[in-house]
Amino acid sequence: MITIDNLVVQFGGVKPINELSAVLTAPVAGLIGPNGAGKTTLLNVLSGFIRPVQGTVSLGAQALLPMTPLQRVRAGLRRSFQTEQVVGDLTVAGNIAAIADHVVGAPHRSEAVDEALSFVGLSAAADRLGQSLNLFQRRLVELAKCVVGKPKLILLDEPAAGLTEEEGKAFRELVLRIPAEFRAQILVIDHDVDLIRSMCSETMVLDYGKLLALGPTQTVLADPNVRRAYLGSSEMSGNSEVRVENLVVERGGKRVIHDISFSVAAGEVTTLLGANGAGKSSTVMAMAGVLPRGGAVRLGDIALEGFVPDRIRRAGLALVPEGHRVLGQLSVEDNILVSALDPAATARRQGLERAYEIFPELAERRRQSASDLSGGQKQMVAMAQAFVAKPRFMIVDELSLGLAPAVVKRLAEALKIAAAGGIGVLLIEQFANLALDLADKALVLERGRLVFDGPAATLKAQPDILHGAYLAS
């Protein structure tokens, strides 16, 4: 049983967890909420990575907050992460043994590792290196690390992300066996409501760090307040896509975009690909009102004709421009605040909480001058400026430009969170493989003309289309 009483986490004037009290008793409980609700912050409190300013958290009769992270592991707390943490240079057994070394006495470690391997069905792969495993096998290793050494509470953060339907079902069946076989409680955090519905008998919903709902999962998911929190507002139903119709753009007297039409759906990532000079940036700048254009851009039922960039942003279409652009003379927090559209203090604070929930590293640097940030941190600020405006749709121009792979991976995770929360994302990206791995749908431009509009998986399976577009421009 997890007992949370009057919990408060504070970053300066922002409270991503605000007077939260809840008792979770179900063997498998769910934790859901919109972007910035406080889910990851709560996991980090439970894990010992963030220290709250107020409140208590107990696992059974044990008070967790006085313990260090290692002490919590030894007391029975386990956690998986959104990005699996399998060490490529260790064997499968070695990855599990690295946890067992801290939680199982030496005489019983080998037996405990074998038990965990058997549970997840990886006994035959015990001597394989982690780097040789596919995604499903790596997820199984993460689960094995969670069950080794008599766990009491297992935190699973988006455990089935990236798995096929068949793999997800097999993984779910394993998780549901854990309470009976290991006598451990499980807390599942996921944006996939269907997964939560199928696994969790009890679900807690957070919104702006406060408890929005707690109870039987079916009852909670039917709650109108919960549904509104996920959609952001009732207006979302009328703005299910951005539609570009017969777009024409001229620059320097030369036509660079030739009568193209496409749509971007809410809750999905659409990627726009093409060689340098194909017209990608011209397309998105015209959509955002930065460049004059012919044709039409519609946000649901709203025609954006004659809208200046600020009015387009207020209508719900936010642009993250190329080049990690920030106001260097302002602090990180002020950079984010100037992008908030609602002047009310409460709304501005809630916007900050959302931004810091998605990018907690910015909370640590909130007073730092933006000019002193790394390129990756500046890109996080630029994306936070879009998030704080509570957009229905985001355009992200060159996500990875000049950034290290580890930073790009972190930013890509933020786009997945945005889409899972109902935001439609149009991504312009120089690295096609990265973009196609993220995207639900793909568009390909060739010399200002649209030559492909379809599922990203189809484009991955037919690389000649993309190769031709890159060679032709």
Side-chain angles (χ1 to χ4, degrees):
M1 181 172 68
I2 309 167
T3 304
I4 303 166
D5 184 37
N6 202 28
L7 191 69
V8 177
V9 174
Q10 187 162 351
F11 301 134
V14 176
K15 295 179 179 178
I17 299 292
N18 192 1
E19 298 179 352
L20 175 64
S21 296
V23 178
L24 297 169
T25 60
V28 183
L31 174 59
I32 63 174
N35 297 337
K39 303 183 299 295
T40 300
T41 299
L42 180 58
L43 253 67
N44 287 334
V45 170
L46 295 173
S47 304
F49 303 148
I50 291 177
R51 183 171 293 279
V53 297
Q54 177 181 305
T56 62
V57 179
S58 300
L59 175 58
Q62 293 179 300
L64 285 182
L65 297 185
M67 298 182 186
T68 65
L70 180 56
Q71 287 172 333
R72 297 181 199 203
V73 171
R74 288 174 173 164
L77 190 145
R78 306 285 187 273
R79 177 178 177 178
S80 74
F81 292 82
Q82 291 179 16
T83 305
E84 33 75 21
Q85 308 290 306
V86 175
V87 180
D89 294 335
L90 291 180
T91 64
V92 169
N95 270 275
I96 300 167
I99 301 298
D101 287 347
H102 296 287
V103 297
V104 182
H108 305 290
R109 284 175 190 161
S110 178
E111 178 184 351
V113 171
D114 289 343
E115 180 185 10
L117 284 168
S118 176
F119 176 73
V120 299
L122 289 179
S123 297
D127 295 327
R128 287 180 58 182
L129 290 178
Q131 62 193 15
S132 72
L133 304 178
N134 61 34
L135 175 61
F136 179 49
Q137 292 166 330
R138 294 198 300 272
R139 294 287 187 191
L140 293 178
V141 173
E142 290 289 280
L143 192 61
K145 289 159 62 178
C146 286
V147 300
V148 73
K150 298 181 179 179
K152 294 182 180 178
L153 173 63
I154 298 174
L155 310 176
L156 299 179
D157 195 352
E158 299 197 18
L163 300 184
T164 66
E165 184 176 351
E166 183 178 349
E167 291 168 345
K169 181 180 178 182
F171 191 92
R172 183 169 64 247
E173 290 173 352
L174 276 176
V175 171
L176 291 174
R177 287 170 48 193
I178 290 175
E181 297 189 29
F182 294 91
R183 301 181 65 83
Q185 186 179 13
I186 301 169
L187 180 60
V188 181
I189 296 84
D190 212 292
H191 288 283
D192 186 342
V193 174
D194 290 334
L195 178 73
I196 293 293
R197 182 182 288 110
S198 66
M199 291 180 65
C200 307
S201 57
E202 177 182 55
T203 294
M204 175 167 66
V205 186
L206 297 183
D207 191 28
Y208 295 117
K210 288 183 172 290
L211 182 66
L212 181 62
L214 171 62
T217 297
Q218 297 297 342
T219 302
V220 166
L221 295 181
D223 187 327
N225 291 326
V226 172
R227 297 175 67 85
R228 277 195 294 270
Y230 262 99
L231 292 174
S233 79
S234 59
E235 297 172 344
M236 277 297 293
S237 60
N239 294 296
S240 59
E241 68 174 9
V242 170
R243 182 74 195 171
V244 176
E245 300 170 346
N246 307 115
L247 183 69
V248 174
V249 179
E250 294 186 356
R251 303 185 73 171
K254 178 182 177 182
R255 181 166 292 190
V256 293
I257 300 298
H258 303 268
D259 195 32
I260 67 172
S261 299
F262 61 88
S263 63
V264 179
E268 292 186 0
V269 177
T270 299
T271 185
L272 178 60
L273 301 172
N276 289 338
K280 304 185 299 295
S281 291
S282 295
T283 298
V284 299
M285 286 193 289
M287 291 175 65
V290 179
L291 290 178
R293 57 169 170 78
V297 178
R298 305 183 69 86
L299 199 164
D301 298 331
I302 304 172
L304 303 183
E305 312 317 309
F307 282 29
V308 297
D310 180 65
R311 191 176 175 191
I312 289 175
R313 195 165 183 270
R314 291 180 182 277
L317 180 60
L319 172 65
V320 180
E322 176 184 351
H324 327 143
R325 300 180 190 179
V326 297
L327 299 172
Q329 70 274 27
L330 298 183
S331 68
V332 168
E333 189 155 296
D334 285 342
N335 263 273
I336 298 172
L337 284 174
V338 296
S339 300
L341 298 179
D342 192 328
T346 299
R348 287 160 62 85
R349 185 179 69 251
Q350 290 173 343
L352 271 179
E353 290 171 359
R354 285 187 181 274
Y356 289 156
E357 170 71 14
I358 296 167
F359 296 118
E361 47 269 83
L362 296 184
E364 300 167 3
R365 297 171 174 82
R366 61 186 181 277
R367 302 302 180 203
Q368 186 175 337
S369 172
S371 61
D372 296 334
L373 300 177
S374 68
Q377 291 163 349
K378 288 178 180 177
Q379 185 71 340
M380 290 179 191
V381 172
M383 290 179 67
Q385 289 174 325
F387 283 123
V388 80
K390 299 181 182 179
R392 300 181 180 98
F393 296 88
M394 288 175 59
I395 300 173
V396 182
D397 195 357
E398 297 293 0
L399 178 76
S400 69
L401 184 66
L403 302 180
V407 176
V408 174
K409 188 174 184 180
R410 177 75 182 83
L411 296 171
E413 290 171 357
L415 291 187
K416 291 179 184 177
I417 291 172
I423 297 174
V425 178
L426 178 60
L427 171 64
I428 293 81
E429 173 53 48
Q430 60 182 322
F431 293 114
N433 288 338
L434 167 66
L436 291 174
D437 285 342
L438 274 173
D440 302 285
K441 175 182 173 181
L443 309 166
V444 179
L445 275 179
E446 180 180 322
R447 294 177 178 155
R449 292 179 169 84
L450 199 62
V451 297
F452 180 86
D453 181 345
T458 300
L459 190 58
K460 288 181 72 174
Q462 300 178 23
D464 289 348
I465 298 172
L466 195 58
H467 293 163
Y470 274 74
L471 291 172
S473 295

